[in-house]
Each structure stands twice: as C-alpha cells, then as structure tokens.
C-alpha cells in the first residue's frame, strides 16, 4: 500500500493497537511490526496462560504495554476503556488438539473463537470512539464453509459484520514457518506440500495463483495486517491471501478497489 493510502486513514489519530492473541505466533509478529513503525501497542496476555510470566517479561522488555485482564465482560471492557485503541486486533483461536487435551470441556470453537470474539466486540462498541476491528479468519470461511473449524470462523465473521464497527477481515491460507515455536508437524508438512504445488501452479496459472495458495509466515502476515489496518481501501472488506503478501496489486500507482469487489464473500 502506498504511503499516501496509509496516511489517509492514520492522520486523524496516532495508531494505538490493542492486540488480543498477542502471545501467539502471528500476535508476537504483529507486536514487533507495530513497534518497528513506532506505534503504541497494548498486548493482551491471558492470565491463565501457561507462558504468562514469560510473555509478560518479554513484552515489558520491549516496552510494550501489557494487559492481563481475564476474559470476562467487565475486565475486557475496562481494559479497552483504559487503552482507548484506534485499532483492535482479534488473533485468538483454538485448535482441535487443544480441545482434545482440555478435559474440562471448556475449550471449544464456540467458547474461544466465537465467545471471546463477542466479548471484545462488545467492549469495542462501548468505547466513546469505536476502534477499527481487525479479525484474523481463514481461507475457506464464508457461506460455503465446511467443517467445524471453518464454520466457527464463518460465524465469527458474521458477528464482526453485525457489530456495526468498521472492520477488516483477513482470510490467509496456511500459516507456518521455521520460526514457529509450537510444533505443528502436520501443518508444516501440509505447508511444504502446498508451497510446492503453488509454485508449480504459478508457472501455468500465473503469480496470482501462487500468491493465493502458498503458505505465509508470521512476519509476512503481520506486515499485511498492519498495512491493512492503516489503509482506507480495506475498511469493511474481506482480504484474501494475495492481498496480505509483502507486495500486492495495491502497490500499483493506479490501484483503486471496486466498490463491489467483495460482493458474495460473506
């Protein structure tokens, strides 16, 4: 995105990011991306997170404001009221593996991917000046979604759409990289296979095909999310993988999105 495009959406107030899911792979990369740009960041750290003390220490060392509010309506609302963000990011999500390991049954797509999202949306709506809401969804979400994971993401997208907030929804493909600390062997295997397939497909179908299907790592996705957060052309839009790459069609001087370009994605 050009500097002019970014400046139009950021000249009213200095960006202040509230990042829910800041301790995750994409969340940590996004915090670093925002810091590199000189933005104020509040990183939410779940108080019952296994790595809670370490994450708090890491963010403090970076000079990042930390928030340890419990995921309940009043604490989350108070956290946003204190920080007054211009942009609120929801990068939270659970996995089938975590659900299987939680014997209490409290971890599910309904309670995490959708329930926590609705808490943050309500808190954002209650602010005197509502922030722009950025939701990290997944490629495959939408009206034709299949499977519990993508159906939950689709429901979450609908909640964002119905919130009345200015929003940007990102639908990346597989997110993986050698710098990902959490071991996800099947995901890395799938990512490697998809990278090869995307590269080969790109030889016949063009670079747009490769950009749609190749995996992305945390740094590239964080860069795309922050760039999207600052652009006026991404307000109330769903972004697909090729729009979240290091360089996209939006970098062309003549770029101008059509008003109906996202019709049918919900």
């Amino acid at each position: 995105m050009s500097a002019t495009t970014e400046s139009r959406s950021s000249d009213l107030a200095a960006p202040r990011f509230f990042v829910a899911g800041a301790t995750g792979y994409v969340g940590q990369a996004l915090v670093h991306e925002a810091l590199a740009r000189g933005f104020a960041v509040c990183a939410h750290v779940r108080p019952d997170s296994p790595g809670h003390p370490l994450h708090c220490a890491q963010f403090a060392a970076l000079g990042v404001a930390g928030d340890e509010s419990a995921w309940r309506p009043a604490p989350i609302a108070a956290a946003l009221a204190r920080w007054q963000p211009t942009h609120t990011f929801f990068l939270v999500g659970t996995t089938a593996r975590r659900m299987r390991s939680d014997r209490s049954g409290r971890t599910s797509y309904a309670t995490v991917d959708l329930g926590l999202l609705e808490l943050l949306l309500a808190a954002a709506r209650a602010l005197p000046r509502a922030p722009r809401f950025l939701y990290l969804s997944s490629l495959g979400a939408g009206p034709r979604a299949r499977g519990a994971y993508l159906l939950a993401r689709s429901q979450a997208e609908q909640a964002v759409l119905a919130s009345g907030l200015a929003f940007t929804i990102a639908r990346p493909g597989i997110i993986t990289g050698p710098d990902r600390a959490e071991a996800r062997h099947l995901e890395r295997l799938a990512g490697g296979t998809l990278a090869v397939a995307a590269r080969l497909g790109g030889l016949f179908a063009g670079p747009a095909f490769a950009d749609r299907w190749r995996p992305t790592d945390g740094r590239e996705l964080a860069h795309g999310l922050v760039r999207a957060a600052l652009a006026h052309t991404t307000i109330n839009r769903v972004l697909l993988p090729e729009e979240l790459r290091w360089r996209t069609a939006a970098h062309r001087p003549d770029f101008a999105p059509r008003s109906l370009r996202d019709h049918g994605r919900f």
Side-chain angles (χ1 to χ4, degrees):
M1 204 71 66
S2 68
T4 301
T5 299
E6 290 191 358
S7 65
R8 288 179 183 174
S9 62
S10 58
D11 56 5
L12 297 179
R16 292 174 62 83
F17 289 177
F18 183 92
V19 184
T23 62
Y25 177 53
V26 178
Q28 292 185 59
L30 191 140
V31 168
H32 281 86
E33 176 72 21
L35 287 178
R37 291 172 174 253
F39 300 158
V41 184
C42 182
H44 181 263
V45 181
R46 201 175 76 245
D48 58 347
S49 169
H52 171 267
L54 176 61
H55 289 307
C56 288
Q58 289 174 334
F59 287 136
L62 291 171
V64 174
D67 183 84
E68 304 169 48
S69 301
W71 275 109
R72 296 195 301 274
I76 291 296
L80 262 64
R82 286 192 300 270
W83 188 246
Q84 294 292 316
T86 59
H87 299 76
T88 299
F89 293 80
F90 188 85
L91 313 177
V92 179
T94 192
T95 63
R97 181 180 179 182
R98 288 175 188 159
M99 288 190 290
R100 288 194 299 268
S101 64
D102 182 8
R103 297 181 179 179
S104 70
R106 291 193 296 267
T107 302
S108 69
Y109 294 133
T111 58
V112 177
D113 294 55
L114 187 57
L116 301 187
L117 170 72
E118 290 175 335
L119 284 181
L120 195 61
L121 285 171
R125 284 197 304 268
L127 293 175
R129 185 171 181 175
R132 185 163 165 186
F133 200 94
L134 291 101
Y135 172 58
L136 182 60
S137 185
S138 175
L139 186 64
R144 297 181 180 86
R146 296 292 184 271
Y149 173 76
L150 290 177
L151 285 173
R153 295 283 167 163
S154 302
Q155 290 176 325
E157 288 187 2
Q158 288 297 320
V160 173
L161 184 64
S163 70
L165 297 170
F167 68 85
T168 300
I169 293 172
R171 289 182 184 168
I174 289 181
I175 307 168
T176 188
D179 57 336
R180 188 164 199 166
E182 185 180 5
R184 295 189 177 186
H185 304 298
L186 290 177
E187 186 177 82
R188 288 183 180 177
L189 178 61
T193 302
L194 194 58
V196 173
R199 188 161 54 248
L200 292 175
L203 296 175
F204 298 96
F209 178 92
D211 281 344
R212 168 68 63 90
W213 296 106
R214 69 175 172 82
T216 186
D217 63 23
R219 288 181 61 246
E220 182 177 41
L221 182 52
H223 177 84
L225 287 171
V226 172
R227 186 181 64 227
L230 302 177
H232 73 284
T233 56
T234 58
I235 295 175
N236 295 349
R237 289 193 53 232
V238 179
L239 306 183
L240 297 179
E242 60 268 29
E243 300 170 282
L244 298 164
R245 301 298 183 186
W246 290 113
R247 293 191 62 81
T248 72
H251 289 90
R252 295 197 309 264
D254 61 343
F255 173 73
R258 298 189 301 274
S259 61
L260 297 179
R261 64 183 290 159
D262 296 299
H263 180 70
R265 284 192 188 171
F266 280 102

